[in-house]
Amino acid sequence: MASLMEDEVFRSFLKYGAIVTVKLLLMGPLTAYYRFTRKAFENVEDAAVHSSKPDDKKRLVRKDEDVERARRCHQNDLENIVPFVLIGLMYSLTGPDPSWALLHFRVFTASRLFHTVAFIHALPQPSRGLSWILGLLTTLSMSHSVIHSVIFH
Amino acid sequence: MASLMEDEVFRSFLKYGAIVTVKLLLMGPLTAYYRFTRKAFENVEDAAVHSSKPDDKKRLVRKDEDVERARRCHQNDLENIVPFVLIGLMYSLTGPDPSWALLHFRVFTASRLFHTVAFIHALPQPSRGLSWILGLLTTLSMSHSVIHSVIFH
Amino acid sequence: MASLMEDEVFRSFLKYGAIVTVKLLLMGPLTAYYRFTRKAFENVEDAAVHSSKPDDKKRLVRKDEDVERARRCHQNDLENIVPFVLIGLMYSLTGPDPSWALLHFRVFTASRLFHTVAFIHALPQPSRGLSWILGLLTTLSMSHSVIHSVIFH
């Protein structure tokens, strides 16, 4: 186990894997912040915190575009960051070239940080689309490397 | 590989990681149960199992609050349990203090079991909110430890 | 680390784990393809690519059944493939019987490939339901094995 921590690629994976997972996790509090400030809830017991009148409670269970945007960004992170961490871990254990691996981890991390900025601020396309595709290609490149390593082992 | 199983922290991780992942997986059958008993489906071919009349089929593709609540609980599990398992695995491999690691795993597992009960039974807030935050802080604490370990290696 | 790649079960896990994760990732481009061809978007800045008239932009932010079907299939993959990869990794590290492990990985992979075909083409039930349950049982069987290995270590 100590030997894993001695491995340069594995340490890089831990660093960038933890950074993007924390980024994913922080989408939860961001959505909660929008729900509170926009007063737009999904559950009647959450709306009840803001008003005890039955009519108000129903009125506060509603959709808000800022909340929905944060929710969609969170979903896109789940769809892309989770596969990156899964594939990144597998990839790190197949003994890839350290500088090539580091490039993959850095490009993915940068693409997802930009993706979040582009999503939340609704930047004109193709900014968000390109950052999504760049992250996707990075993970697919690592997946290809994993499958190649196993077949030609 | 055998050496990983000899490690106390790694064995604890396997145990609690598997328990919370099974908990996440069981949300699928729970949602299916609500769909069947409330007769509320998302796909027309699922509604067709309950009725062959075209009008009925369309009527059964509808939203039901019990189904939506189970679905939202499932989604919250995806957003929180998956990052916990990813970070928990990384954390276990950085050689943390065993009793401190076990505390993290147990607090997270307990917080998520309570979160599900609070969500499905619509318990008054802040019960669900606090259990969500507790689980989140546990994962963020482990993430901090992973990043710290890599930097100060 | 090199010793992990020497392990037959771990190599099988890498192969099937990478295949199903790539399958999950490709649901993103598939959904994007349906959004473009059906002209049904979630974000106003995406609709703006297709038309600069304010009325058109609002009209193109709409739901389409083909898009929603791909989206639901993607969500089901997140709910099932991600737990499989997490549990599959843990399971591979507990030293299971190689042919038994390979059977689990192959059954899961086949069940999910069939599930996608059944979902996208709206095949009559119970085809999709049975493939979902088969994949679920495979992951639960591996989870049971992980917890059993830890307790009886």
Side-chain angles (χ1 to χ4, degrees):
Chain A
M1 208 179 75
S3 68
L4 277 173
M5 282 300 281
E6 296 307 318
D7 186 71
E8 189 184 340
V9 173
F10 193 74
R11 283 203 312 277
S12 294
F13 165 72
L14 288 182
K15 184 174 155 192
Y16 291 98
I19 287 170
V20 291
T21 308
V22 167
K23 186 250 147 294
L24 161 66
L25 275 170
L26 294 180
M27 293 308 294
L30 183 68
T31 308
Y33 166 80
Y34 281 126
R35 287 202 182 283
F36 273 90
T37 53
R38 273 64 170 170
K39 298 195 191 298
F41 301 95
E42 275 189 308
N43 298 291
V44 74
E45 70 269 26
D46 305 353
V49 174
H50 287 263
S51 176
S52 54
K53 293 182 208 159
D55 278 8
D56 269 16
K57 276 194 274 184
K58 275 190 190 163
R59 201 174 45 81
L60 294 176
V61 177
R62 61 181 188 89
K63 298 216 171 189
D64 171 270
E65 179 51 22
D66 289 338
V67 172
E68 292 305 302
R69 187 169 279 278
R71 218 183 42 69
R72 289 197 297 269
C73 184
H74 198 171
Q75 181 70 13
N76 197 283
D77 275 357
L78 276 179
E79 291 168 5
N80 290 281
I81 289 178
V82 169
F84 165 80
V85 180
L86 295 175
I87 292 290
L89 175 62
M90 298 183 200
Y91 173 69
S92 301
L93 298 172
T94 59
D97 175 69
S99 59
W100 190 233
L102 190 58
L103 182 67
H104 278 82
F105 301 159
R106 283 182 173 164
V107 167
F108 182 85
T109 303
S111 77
R112 295 309 300 185
L113 293 177
F114 181 78
H115 182 271
T116 302
V117 173
F119 213 148
I120 297 299
H121 295 284
L123 298 189
Q125 287 284 27
S127 59
R128 197 187 84 236
L130 290 180
S131 61
W132 171 64
I133 289 171
L134 187 58
L136 195 62
L137 290 177
T138 313
T139 311
L140 289 175
S141 165
M142 294 192 302
S143 306
H144 173 264
S145 179
V146 169
I147 294 171
H148 190 272
S149 298
V150 172
I151 291 173
F152 294 95
H153 181 73
Chain B
M1 206 178 77
S3 68
L4 276 173
M5 282 301 281
E6 297 307 318
D7 186 71
E8 189 184 341
V9 172
F10 192 75
R11 284 204 311 277
S12 295
F13 164 72
L14 288 182
K15 184 174 156 191
Y16 291 99
I19 288 171
V20 291
T21 308
V22 167
K23 186 250 148 295
L24 161 66
L25 276 171
L26 294 180
M27 293 308 294
L30 183 68
T31 308
Y33 165 79
Y34 281 126
R35 286 202 183 283
F36 273 89
T37 53
R38 273 64 170 171
K39 296 193 192 299
F41 302 96
E42 275 189 307
N43 299 291
V44 75
E45 69 269 26
D46 305 354
V49 175
H50 287 263
S51 176
S52 54
K53 293 181 207 158
D55 277 9
D56 270 17
K57 277 194 274 185
K58 275 192 190 162
R59 200 174 46 81
L60 294 177
V61 177
R62 61 182 188 89
K63 299 217 170 189
D64 171 271
E65 178 53 20
D66 288 338
V67 172
E68 292 304 303
R69 187 169 280 278
R71 219 182 42 69
R72 289 197 296 269
C73 184
H74 198 172
Q75 182 69 14
N76 197 282
D77 275 357
L78 276 179
E79 291 168 6
N80 289 280
I81 289 179
V82 169
F84 165 79
V85 179
L86 295 174
I87 292 290
L89 175 62
M90 298 182 200
Y91 174 69
S92 301
L93 298 171
T94 59
D97 175 69
S99 58
W100 190 232
L102 189 58
L103 182 68
H104 277 82
F105 300 158
R106 284 182 172 164
V107 167
F108 182 85
T109 304
S111 77
R112 296 307 301 185
L113 293 177
F114 181 78
H115 182 270
T116 302
V117 173
F119 213 148
I120 297 299
H121 295 286
L123 299 188
Q125 286 284 25
S127 59
R128 197 186 86 236
L130 289 180
S131 61
W132 170 65
I133 289 171
L134 186 59
L136 196 62
L137 290 177
T138 313
T139 310
L140 289 175
S141 165
M142 295 192 302
S143 306
H144 173 264
S145 178
V146 169
I147 295 171
H148 190 272
S149 297
V150 172
I151 292 174
F152 293 94
H153 183 73
Chain C
M1 208 179 75
S3 69
L4 277 173
M5 281 301 281
E6 296 307 318
D7 186 72
E8 190 184 340
V9 173
F10 192 74
R11 283 204 311 276
S12 295
F13 165 71
L14 288 182
K15 184 175 156 192
Y16 291 98
I19 287 170
V20 291
T21 308
V22 167
K23 187 248 147 294
L24 161 66
L25 275 171
L26 294 180
M27 293 308 294
L30 183 68
T31 308
Y33 165 79
Y34 281 127
R35 287 203 183 282
F36 273 89
T37 53
R38 273 64 171 170
K39 297 195 190 297
F41 302 96
E42 274 189 307
N43 299 291
V44 76
E45 70 269 26
D46 305 354
V49 174
H50 287 264
S51 177
S52 55
K53 293 181 208 159
D55 278 8
D56 270 16
K57 276 194 274 184
K58 275 192 189 161
R59 201 174 45 79
L60 294 177
V61 177
R62 61 181 187 90
K63 297 215 171 190
D64 170 90
E65 178 52 21
D66 289 336
V67 172
E68 292 304 304
R69 188 169 280 277
R71 220 184 39 71
R72 289 197 296 269
C73 184
H74 198 172
Q75 181 70 13
N76 196 282
D77 275 357
L78 276 179
E79 291 168 5
N80 290 280
I81 289 178
V82 169
F84 165 79
V85 179
L86 295 174
I87 291 290
L89 175 63
M90 297 183 200
Y91 173 70
S92 301
L93 299 172
T94 59
D97 175 69
S99 59
W100 190 233
L102 189 58
L103 181 68
H104 277 82
F105 301 157
R106 284 182 172 164
V107 167
F108 182 85
T109 304
S111 77
R112 294 309 300 185
L113 293 178
F114 181 78
H115 182 271
T116 303
V117 173
F119 213 148
I120 297 299
H121 294 284
L123 299 189
Q125 286 285 25
S127 59
R128 197 187 84 234
L130 289 181
S131 62
W132 170 64
I133 290 171
L134 186 58
L136 195 62
L137 290 177
T138 313
T139 310
L140 290 174
S141 166
M142 294 192 302
S143 306
H144 173 264
S145 179
V146 169
I147 295 171
H148 190 271
S149 297
V150 171
I151 292 174
F152 294 94
H153 182 74

